[in-house]
Amino acid sequence: MSKRLRVGILTGGGDCPGLNAVIRAVAKSLILQHDAEVIGFEDGFEGLVEQKMQPLEYSDVSGILTVGGTILGTSNKANPFNYFKRGGADVSSQVVTFCRKLGLNAVVVIGGDGTMSISNKLHKLGVNIVGVPKTIDNDLMGTDRTFGFDSAVAIATEAIDRLHTTAQSHNRVMILETMGRYAGWIALYSGVAGGADVILIPEFEYEIEEIVRVCKERESGGQKFTIIAIAEGSRPKGGTMVVQDMVTDSPDPIRLGGIGKVLESQLEKHLRSEIRTTILGHTQRGGTPTPFDRNIASAFGAYAAAMAADGEYGSMVALKENKLTSIPLESVAEKVRTVPADAAMISTALAVGTSFGVSNFEKRFVGTKHSTPLT
Ligand code: F6P
């Protein structure tokens, strides 16, 4: 009699909407298609180090599709190669031994770039890993989409819609600061969806004179309000990103935030209109996933389960030109996918007159054709 397939699953890094949808899809399809045994590790890689786990039966993953967060818990500090609870010790060999002892055929790891980098190193040590790309930032290399991004964009878009009406009533300049770390995807997609007049992203240093020009031009044209979407990683020309906090025991200690207020004080020197700043923060990570995120999270999960069953290890599920595929963890690790100047949504924004806070943007950065997929 052949041994029953045994697969572990964990969620690593910051949470986002859709994690439970992936857990459900992985567990249900492994149980239904392969009669597999599924084990959930708690609090990301901490569960593998501290041996915190729970069996996941079919009933355990029922009713969680629409629920935000993760039933397994997560951690953006637990790195087995530099373990925060043991003074930064390398406990990776302990993790490898534990996975062997459990007789795991594979571990499905759901996470962002930090989690995929750790997964790549563990895979090289002999742990059979299948990655699933998660993050609201949409900044993972090798996939056109991560799940969680669409939900964050929906939340930021709703915020822009709401800022629009109050901006109009008071003739104000409204600044909305989104998350996204070093990539501007959330600000770009919510900015276009919400019709922001100016979109500022880390990929292009902004010029204050250009933003002032847009606000004044709108005012003289009868539109006495302006909506600005700014990504937390943005910076003025010649300036630096605004670091809000340093989480020293985290593998990626820098926490960005506060550039919206910096922009507000820069603009105050040039404009008579009142300016207000809203920082969306973690609302972008909470709550129920959008239908699109539920769908790609489910599709990613089912695909990851098939990879685990087929023995396709050391790779991450990816969405490329609207098709599910997989790419080696090696090509994802330690990389960030930022917004290219020829992104389809950049051309779209330019076509409807949105400013990126850079004078002569089109001449300096792009041609008229876009070359990246829209999603
Ligand atoms: O990577 C997701 C993200 O929400 C970023 O957009 C943000 O910069 C960071 O995580 C915030 O991290 P924390 O939850 O540790 O404050």
Side-chain angles (χ1 to χ4, degrees), residues 76 135-137 179-181 232 247 255-256 282 285:
N76 56 11
T135 168
I136 61 163
D137 304 337
M179 281 186 164
R181 283 199 317 172
E232 63 180 1
V247 184
R255 294 294 178 274
L256 299 170
H282 290 81
R285 295 234 305 255

Side-chain angles (χ1 to χ4, degrees), residues 269-288:
K269 298 188 184 102
H270 302 274
L271 300 174
R272 269 176 300 148
S273 326
E274 283 189 312
I275 308 165
R276 295 287 187 269
T277 301
T278 303
I279 301 176
L280 264 189
H282 290 81
T283 57
Q284 291 157 104
R285 295 234 305 255
T288 189

Side-chain angles (χ1 to χ4, degrees), residues 329-343:
L329 285 170
E330 187 70 43
S331 62
V332 183
E334 318 287 347
K335 296 190 181 76
V336 178
R337 189 178 75 102
T338 53
V339 179
D342 61 354

Side-chain angles (χ1 to χ4, degrees), residues 21-358:
V22 180
I23 295 169
R24 168 183 175 270
V26 171
K28 281 195 171 182
S29 54
L30 280 170
I31 293 166
L32 291 176
Q33 323 290 330
H34 304 280
D35 186 31
E37 213 179 319
V38 184
I39 298 170
F41 293 100
E42 293 162 21
D43 303 328
F45 288 111
E46 195 174 317
L48 276 178
V49 178
E50 307 287 348
Q51 311 193 352
K52 295 188 291 181
M53 58 196 175
Q54 48 181 288
L56 289 180
E57 305 293 348
Y58 192 89
S59 57
D60 296 319
V61 295
S62 284
I64 63 169
L65 172 64
T66 64
V67 182
T70 160
I71 58 163
L72 294 175
T74 188
S75 163
N76 56 11
K77 294 182 180 171
N79 175 0
F81 295 90
N82 183 1
Y83 191 55
F84 73 120
K85 286 195 169 169
R86 312 240 173 103
D90 182 346
V91 295
S92 55
S93 59
Q94 182 188 314
V95 166
V96 178
T97 310
F98 181 53
C99 289
R100 278 206 194 111
K101 195 172 137 211
L102 282 178
L104 290 177
N105 295 82
V107 183
V108 175
V109 177
I110 310 165
D113 59 345
T115 305
M116 291 308 142
S117 300
I118 294 169
S119 299
N120 186 42
K121 283 160 82 178
L122 279 179
H123 173 70
K124 285 181 182 158
L125 293 181
V127 182
N128 295 330
I129 291 193
V130 175
V132 180
K134 162 241 73 163
T135 168
I136 61 163
D137 304 337
N138 202 33
D139 63 351
L140 266 183
M141 199 52 100
T143 183
D144 295 336
R145 270 295 169 109
T146 56
F147 74 86
F149 172 64
D150 189 66
S151 304
V153 168
I155 293 157
T157 303
E158 190 191 341
I160 294 176
D161 291 347
R162 289 176 185 277
L163 289 175
H164 244 111
T165 59
T166 172
Q168 207 156 12
S169 308
H170 288 270
N171 296 331
R172 282 175 170 163
V173 173
M174 288 293 194
I175 299 171
L176 178 77
E177 181 180 311
T178 68
M179 281 186 164
R181 283 199 317 172
Y182 308 113
W185 296 104
I186 300 175
L188 175 62
Y189 274 65
S190 60
V192 171
D197 308 294
V198 180
I199 298 174
L200 306 174
I201 60 177
E203 288 80 356
F204 311 106
E205 292 184 337
Y206 68 79
E207 298 156 10
I208 197 70
E209 306 76 26
E210 168 65 9
I211 305 167
V212 169
R213 183 195 65 73
V214 174
C215 296
K216 288 192 170 163
E217 207 170 276
R218 284 179 59 76
E219 216 172 301
S220 59
Q223 298 275 35
K224 297 200 186 319
F225 71 96
T226 300
I227 304 289
I228 304 173
I230 183 166
E232 63 180 1
S234 304
R235 61 190 189 280
K237 195 171 173 190
T240 51
M241 290 184 186
V242 181
V243 176
Q244 188 190 39
D245 202 7
M246 292 296 281
V247 184
T248 46
D249 51 3
S250 165
D252 183 4
I254 296 172
R255 294 294 178 274
L256 299 170
I259 186 65
K261 272 285 178 194
V262 171
L263 176 65
E264 180 181 316
S265 61
Q266 286 177 313
L267 285 175
E268 265 165 2
K269 298 188 184 102
H270 302 274
L271 300 174
R272 269 176 300 148
S273 326
E274 283 189 312
I275 308 165
R276 295 287 187 269
T277 301
T278 303
I279 301 176
L280 264 189
H282 290 81
T283 57
Q284 291 157 104
R285 295 234 305 255
T288 189
T290 57
F292 181 86
D293 270 341
R294 294 177 199 183
N295 287 340
I296 59 162
S298 300
F300 283 178
Y303 201 85
M307 284 167 68
D310 291 350
E312 193 187 340
Y313 309 136
S315 293
M316 183 188 81
V317 180
L319 188 74
K320 287 303 269 175
E321 299 187 344
N322 246 346
K323 289 200 177 73
L324 285 172
T325 181
S326 64
I327 51 162
L329 285 170
E330 187 70 43
S331 62
V332 183
E334 318 287 347
K335 296 190 181 76
V336 178
R337 189 178 75 102
T338 53
V339 179
D342 61 354
M345 206 50 87
I346 295 259
S347 327
T348 305
L350 290 171
V352 297
T354 308
S355 169
F356 284 95
V358 177

